Amino acid sequence: MTERWVGIVVSGDKVIVVDAEVPDAGQLVLQNDDTWRMQGGDRAAAYNVIGQQCRDYLRANGVTKVLIKASAVSLGGTKIGHLRSAELRGVIKGAAASVCEVKELSKAALSRNFGDRKVDEYAKDDAFWMTHFNGEELRVGSREAAIMLLAESGRNE
């Protein structure tokens, strides 16, 4: 049975969203590759708006699972941007959890458990993406969100 899943990567004040139909076998069918940006001004109000945008999108598109890239330890020290990204990630997780199943995946775990290469190596491989996705064209900057969909579906190259 085909399901609708979304992969999400939060960075700074933006949310990269990759939406795909995930059949039992074969290629994933890309439905949407978008970036949601937080509005300026009061952060609390902006969190409310982007959280509602997330809930509305997931409900309207019948999404059954959301995969979110987990926070990573910052070797350069934690700065305000890192904390704000974490806040936004929490808003998105909470909004998504009100609609469907949510699972967090770390880049390190993906690199260890998906295929025989690291995530960054897959992200640079254009041919890899053409063999695993059809439908709309996947942006290069969205590949980390997309690889979570492949890993979760059991398509480990």
Side-chain angles (χ1 to χ4, degrees), residues 58-75:
L58 299 175
R59 279 191 190 110
N61 291 288
V63 174
T64 58
K65 186 182 288 190
V66 171
L67 306 163
I68 298 177
K69 180 182 169 192
S71 294
V73 176
S74 174
L75 299 177

Side-chain angles (χ1 to χ4, degrees), residues 5 25 33-34 48-49 54-57 68 75-76 84 99 130 138 142-143 150:
W5 293 357
D33 177 3
D34 198 7
N48 181 50
V49 169
C54 178
R55 282 187 293 279
D56 291 348
Y57 181 88
I68 298 177
L75 299 177
R84 287 189 171 164
V99 176
M130 290 180 177
L138 182 66
S142 300
R143 291 178 176 175
L150 291 172

Side-chain angles (χ1 to χ4, degrees), residues 93-108:
K93 275 195 285 190
S98 73
V99 176
C100 63
E101 178 185 353
V102 175
K103 186 173 181 180
E104 232 178 347
L105 300 170
S106 74
K107 186 174 179 179

Side-chain angles (χ1 to χ4, degrees), residues 110-122 124-125 128 147 157:
L110 285 169
S111 288
R112 278 192 310 275
N113 302 318
F114 181 83
D116 58 0
R117 298 185 278 172
K118 301 229 180 269
V119 169
D120 290 338
E121 294 171 30
Y122 284 111
K124 295 175 187 173
D125 184 353
F128 172 82
I147 203 164
E157 197 181 8

Side-chain angles (χ1 to χ4, degrees), residues 4-157:
R4 249 340 238 279
W5 293 357
V6 168
I8 292 178
V9 174
V10 176
S11 179
D13 286 348
K14 67 181 181 181
V15 180
I16 297 170
V17 180
V18 174
D19 175 358
E21 288 182 359
V22 182
D24 292 333
Q27 292 182 315
L28 275 60
V29 181
L30 186 64
Q31 298 298 311
N32 191 20
D33 177 3
D34 198 7
T35 301
W36 300 335
R37 298 184 190 287
M38 275 187 45
Q39 66 185 27
D42 179 59
R43 289 191 74 81
Y47 288 146
N48 181 50
V49 169
I50 203 163
Q52 190 61 53
Q53 179 181 5
C54 178
R55 282 187 293 279
D56 291 348
Y57 181 88
L58 299 175
R59 279 191 190 110
N61 291 288
V63 174
T64 58
K65 186 182 288 190
V66 171
L67 306 163
I68 298 177
K69 180 182 169 192
S71 294
V73 176
S74 174
L75 299 177
T78 303
K79 300 198 176 17
I80 192 70
H82 190 80
L83 295 173
R84 287 189 171 164
S85 290
E87 286 178 347
L88 180 54
R89 189 174 300 104
V91 168
I92 295 298
K93 275 195 285 190
S98 73
V99 176
C100 63
E101 178 185 353
V102 175
K103 186 173 181 180
E104 232 178 347
L105 300 170
S106 74
K107 186 174 179 179
L110 285 169
S111 288
R112 278 192 310 275
N113 302 318
F114 181 83
D116 58 0
R117 298 185 278 172
K118 301 229 180 269
V119 169
D120 290 338
E121 294 171 30
Y122 284 111
K124 295 175 187 173
D125 184 353
D126 295 335
F128 172 82
W129 297 100
M130 290 180 177
T131 62
H132 287 85
F133 280 87
N134 71 32
E136 295 200 15
E137 190 169 330
L138 182 66
R139 297 175 300 166
V140 173
S142 300
R143 291 178 176 175
E144 279 190 22
I147 203 164
M148 292 187 294
L149 300 174
L150 291 172
E152 182 69 10
S153 70
R155 290 164 173 85
N156 288 343
E157 197 181 8

